[in-house]
Amino acid sequence: MATLEIQGLTKTYGQLKALDNVNLTVQEGELMAVLGPSGSGKSTLVRSIAGFVAPDAGHILLGGRDITFERPEKRNTAMVFQSYALWPHMTVLQNITYGLKLRRLSPEEIARKVEWALDLVDLSGLEGRYPRQLSGGQQQRVALARALVVDPEILLLDEPLSNLDAKIRYRLRFEIKKLQKRLNITTIYITHDQEEALSIADSVVLLKDGKVLQAGRPEEIYSNPKNSFVAEFLGASNVITDLVLQDREGLYVMLGGARLPVPAYKQPGEEVSIVIRADEVELGGEMPEGDHEHVSFSGKVNDQMYLGSRRRYEIETVEGHSLLIDSDRELPTGSVIRLCVDRDKIYIY
Amino acid sequence: MTGVKATKWWRAMILKLVIITILGFAIFGPLAGTLLWSFAIKWYWPSALPQEFGLKYWANALTGRSQVLDALWLSISIALIVVAVGLLVSIPAGYALARFDVPWKKVLLVLFLMPQAFPQLPVFINMSSIFYRLNIAGTVAGVTAAHLVVSLVYSVWITTATFKSIPEVLEDAAINLGASRVGAFFKITLPLAAPGLIASAIFVFLNSLDEFTGTFFVGAPYIQTLPILMYTASMGYNMQAASVIAIMLTIPSLVFMAILERFLKAEYIRGLGV
């Protein structure tokens, strides 16, 4: 177990900046989720930590040791690949044993460690199977056992659950988190799924075009997204663009007849983004007199969709903006209603 | 009405029978003729079947210090050398072409294809004149080289395709756990490539065993492989000896084809299962 420090890491492929001056610190025993859309550089990041990509600039320190240009087989990182990369001509046992044999451990020690790993991921009894005879979830566990059995300083998970169906993914997410906490192993978890990142991680890093857009605890980054891209990527379904207006009281923008103040760094006439999450607006709620913590505005129900536990409404404001709002209330299409939202939950960039 | 239908049915049936008969003759006719010839002692025109059957020519070919057995061992030895050298060249070449950005990759592949692009005769005639200057004409080395020129293109291409079908991430996983690049190749990639490599080796072996033109121009008259011997026998109107050799040449092909099919199937299933 060790602290991982990444300093000014940069990697360019031709014109494309896969990593652009990335700085990160993962504390000992911390699980950091690296979140980003495809092409954001998160795979390049994890592959350069493992040693498969040589960075153009910057340093990678693992437990204080500079491993930037160390050969991948000497780094003592263990990676779980998106495709699991289990060796199809080897049994589960052979797959898990391989890394230990390379470390020239005694047969007794190998047997003891393999038993520990099989027990850890709940695969005892399947040692003799070949990967093709296992389900996707079981293959994933073998990959995890194979990585953990060599006692790595850092665990690298590259989209480990993205090839599984939703139900198994949900369950394995918790199992990985429990395992990681139990072993107290420093872990980097690459994903493009915001919910996965927020639910599993101690800290989240959001990557786009090779740059770190925002890093912090999941609660922090969710409640204080730095810009409209972060907010939208973290699951906000409404990003409205409008122009900044100005009067004697300052800069503002109109939404549903309500006046929303705009940060001072904007210019009048400039475009501004209003970000609102679908589940953070109360439909039909009346705001008490003198309430300064909420904003109330109006809109018309244009359309609706039944989602089981709730309904999704398409609301049109007087400015012609369309908003998606989730609510458990039943409202007829065409009705004009009031909407109420916490001032802190409207993000204006 | 029924009369018309019946006529149609008969017409279709007769057409089918005619086509099947023609195909049957085309496929089995020459084989049956060869088989008959190999067991014939006397077979004079215009008789449909040999006048006298016997095992004399088989006995000649297979017993004692026979020319046929010598030629068979020579053919097999040359084929095995060609397979060994072919694998030694095509495994590294195929791996490099599959995994790395080899400079001049296209030029290299075209170069390998070159001998196939021209008619075989001028290629081998030129080769024989070059080999005479190099003093390897009429030697096993010369014939082996001629066979390699023919088969290397196939073996390099099959090997490249085989290595390409093995995901690189499987090697990455081994290296990540502490294996060297060479270790990962021998422990992971090579075993996974084995079916493709064996298929390619069998292909090269059969190709060399049956090769005639190159052997004839480069090796004659000192190198007497089985196909050369068969040619000489049939030129001397010794149809029986030629037929015996022809059948002996067919047997390894049939056996290896069966093996090849098994390996190709195994690889196919593996491809689906992973």
Side-chain angles (χ1 to χ4, degrees):
Chain A
M1 321 301 124
T3 308
L4 177 82
E5 270 176 85
I6 290 175
Q7 302 167 345
L9 207 65
T10 300
K11 177 71 188 176
T12 317
Y13 292 111
Q15 293 290 312
L16 184 83
K17 277 209 161 173
L19 292 175
D20 190 355
N21 191 23
V22 171
N23 293 291
L24 291 174
T25 304
V26 192
Q27 299 298 338
E28 193 171 321
E30 180 182 336
L31 194 162
M32 175 183 276
V34 177
L35 179 66
S38 62
S40 59
K42 51 193 197 305
S43 273
T44 310
L45 177 67
V46 78
R47 285 182 68 81
S48 60
I49 297 169
F52 296 123
V53 170
D56 300 332
H59 290 278
I60 303 167
L61 284 85
L62 186 56
R65 179 168 59 104
D66 190 334
I67 60 162
T68 318
F69 296 106
E70 194 156 42
R71 291 152 69 100
E73 62 264 34
K74 305 276 182 217
R75 292 194 180 197
N76 204 20
T77 65
M79 188 153 166
V80 172
F81 295 85
Q82 186 173 6
S83 60
Y84 317 136
L86 298 178
W87 301 305
H89 60 305
M90 296 188 191
T91 60
V92 169
L93 187 70
Q94 288 167 327
N95 264 280
I96 297 175
T97 315
Y98 183 62
L100 297 173
K101 282 190 175 156
L102 288 169
R103 280 161 180 71
R104 302 183 189 286
L105 300 180
S106 67
E108 300 82 52
E109 200 164 354
I110 289 178
R112 191 175 54 75
K113 289 204 173 203
V114 167
E115 201 192 319
W116 169 83
L118 283 168
D119 190 50
L120 191 73
V121 296
D122 207 10
L123 273 178
S124 305
L126 297 178
E127 299 94 320
R129 300 262 189 103
Y130 282 92
R132 61 175 177 276
Q133 298 169 311
L134 301 175
S135 70
Q138 288 169 330
Q139 291 183 20
Q140 217 283 330
R141 288 157 194 266
V142 177
L144 209 56
R146 186 177 71 176
L148 289 170
V149 78
V150 298
D151 201 11
E153 285 178 77
I154 187 166
L155 180 64
L156 305 169
L157 304 166
D158 186 6
E159 307 239 9
L161 304 180
S162 62
N163 283 343
L164 299 169
D165 59 53
K167 228 169 146 182
I168 300 168
R169 197 159 64 215
Y170 199 70
R171 210 183 59 219
L172 271 174
R173 196 192 284 173
F174 283 99
E175 283 185 27
I176 289 179
K177 190 178 168 85
K178 261 190 238 163
L179 212 63
Q180 188 267 337
K181 283 286 160 266
R182 209 172 108 198
L183 301 173
N184 194 35
I185 182 169
T186 314
T187 304
I188 289 198
Y189 189 109
I190 303 283
T191 179
H192 63 267
D193 181 334
Q194 49 90 15
E195 195 188 303
E196 203 169 284
L198 293 174
S199 65
I200 202 170
D202 301 314
S203 65
V204 177
V205 168
L206 209 137
L207 222 57
K208 192 199 175 207
D209 301 329
K211 281 196 188 73
V212 174
L213 288 190
Q214 195 169 356
R217 286 186 307 108
E219 295 84 356
E220 237 168 66
I221 195 167
Y222 186 80
S223 56
N224 284 309
K226 252 187 195 163
N227 58 40
S228 61
F229 178 83
V230 177
E232 198 175 357
F233 204 79
L234 291 179
S237 29
N238 301 302
V239 178
I240 297 160
T241 321
D242 208 338
L243 298 180
V244 177
L245 302 171
Q246 188 177 32
D247 63 8
R248 279 175 297 126
E249 284 171 57
L251 302 173
Y252 67 98
V253 63
M254 294 301 287
L255 178 70
R259 180 196 155 105
L260 305 172
V262 166
Y265 61 80
K266 286 279 178 186
Q267 298 289 319
E270 202 183 344
E271 271 196 353
V272 66
S273 301
I274 309 165
V275 180
I276 301 171
R277 294 202 173 93
D279 54 355
E280 287 180 343
V281 176
E282 206 183 323
L283 277 192
E286 263 312 314
M287 195 172 66
E289 279 293 321
D291 183 347
H292 294 296
E293 284 173 10
H294 291 81
V295 178
S296 173
F297 59 101
S298 62
K300 194 176 115 211
V301 177
N302 249 356
D303 205 348
Q304 56 179 289
M305 209 192 288
Y306 180 59
L307 298 178
S309 61
R310 62 199 193 283
R311 281 165 192 275
R312 175 158 294 178
Y313 292 97
E314 191 195 303
I315 311 278
E316 196 187 318
T317 66
V318 282
E319 292 86 7
H321 299 309
S322 173
L323 288 168
L324 294 176
I325 306 294
D326 288 355
S327 172
D328 48 10
R329 290 189 55 159
E330 261 185 67
L331 295 165
T333 302
S335 58
V336 175
I337 46 140
R338 295 296 291 174
L339 301 97
C340 183
V341 58
D342 202 315
R343 252 181 212 286
D344 292 345
K345 301 283 168 67
I346 297 186
Y347 306 99
I348 294 172
Y349 302 100
Chain B
M1 281 300 273
T2 45
V4 177
K5 252 188 190 169
T7 343
K8 267 192 179 169
W9 186 85
W10 272 111
R11 264 192 208 154
M13 197 61 202
I14 288 167
L15 193 70
K16 269 185 208 165
L17 278 174
V18 167
I19 291 173
I20 289 170
T21 315
I22 291 172
L23 276 177
F25 268 110
I27 295 168
F28 295 109
L31 280 177
T34 311
L35 204 64
L36 276 177
W37 261 120
S38 77
F39 290 106
I41 303 290
K42 280 183 194 161
W43 192 356
Y44 298 120
W45 193 83
S47 169
L49 286 172
Q51 281 90 355
E52 199 183 331
F53 285 99
L55 292 171
K56 185 180 143 201
Y57 288 94
W58 278 101
N60 279 352
L62 297 176
T63 54
R65 260 207 65 81
S66 79
Q67 233 185 333
V68 175
L69 279 186
D70 285 348
L72 177 67
W73 296 137
L74 183 63
S75 280
I76 289 177
S77 309
I78 289 175
L80 287 176
I81 297 170
V82 172
V83 165
V85 178
L87 282 178
L88 278 179
V89 173
S90 60
I91 289 177
Y95 186 78
L97 288 169
R99 283 287 188 266
F100 309 120
D101 271 329
V102 180
W104 305 96
K105 192 187 228 170
K106 276 192 183 143
V107 178
L108 248 139
L109 283 174
V110 170
L111 220 71
F112 272 124
L113 252 184
M114 273 305 227
Q116 311 293 315
F118 299 103
Q120 284 207 333
L121 226 47
V123 170
F124 285 125
I125 289 170
N126 270 312
M127 194 186 284
S128 85
S129 73
I130 293 168
F131 281 12
Y132 267 108
R133 250 175 276 150
L134 295 173
N135 267 329
I136 52 168
T139 65
V140 171
V143 172
T144 306
H147 288 190
L148 272 173
V149 166
V150 182
S151 57
L152 216 48
V153 58
Y154 299 111
S155 64
V156 168
W157 281 37
I158 296 175
T159 316
T160 306
T162 305
F163 283 129
K164 254 194 187 150
S165 73
I166 299 165
E168 207 175 341
V169 71
L170 296 180
E171 288 169 37
D172 286 351
I175 293 169
N176 179 245
L177 290 177
S180 64
R181 207 159 234 300
V182 178
F185 175 79
F186 280 107
K187 188 75 186 168
I188 308 296
T189 317
L190 203 57
L192 288 172
L197 297 181
I198 290 170
S200 143
I202 290 175
F203 192 81
V204 169
F205 183 85
L206 293 178
N207 206 54
S208 166
L209 205 62
D210 292 343
E211 212 285 332
F212 173 76
T213 324
T215 320
F216 184 77
F217 282 102
V218 172
Y222 307 105
I223 302 298
Q224 290 273 334
T225 62
L226 218 43
I228 298 285
L229 198 63
M230 181 177 74
Y231 174 76
T232 318
S234 63
M235 284 295 103
Y237 293 105
N238 189 344
M239 290 306 285
Q240 289 93 329
S243 302
V244 167
I245 299 171
I247 290 166
M248 286 172 71
L249 277 174
T250 317
I251 292 167
S253 303
L254 289 178
V255 171
F256 279 129
M257 282 299 169
I259 298 175
L260 200 68
E261 201 205 22
R262 272 208 52 170
F263 270 111
L264 286 183
K265 253 187 209 155
E267 190 181 39
Y268 184 57
I269 291 162
R270 201 194 66 211
L272 284 178
V274 173

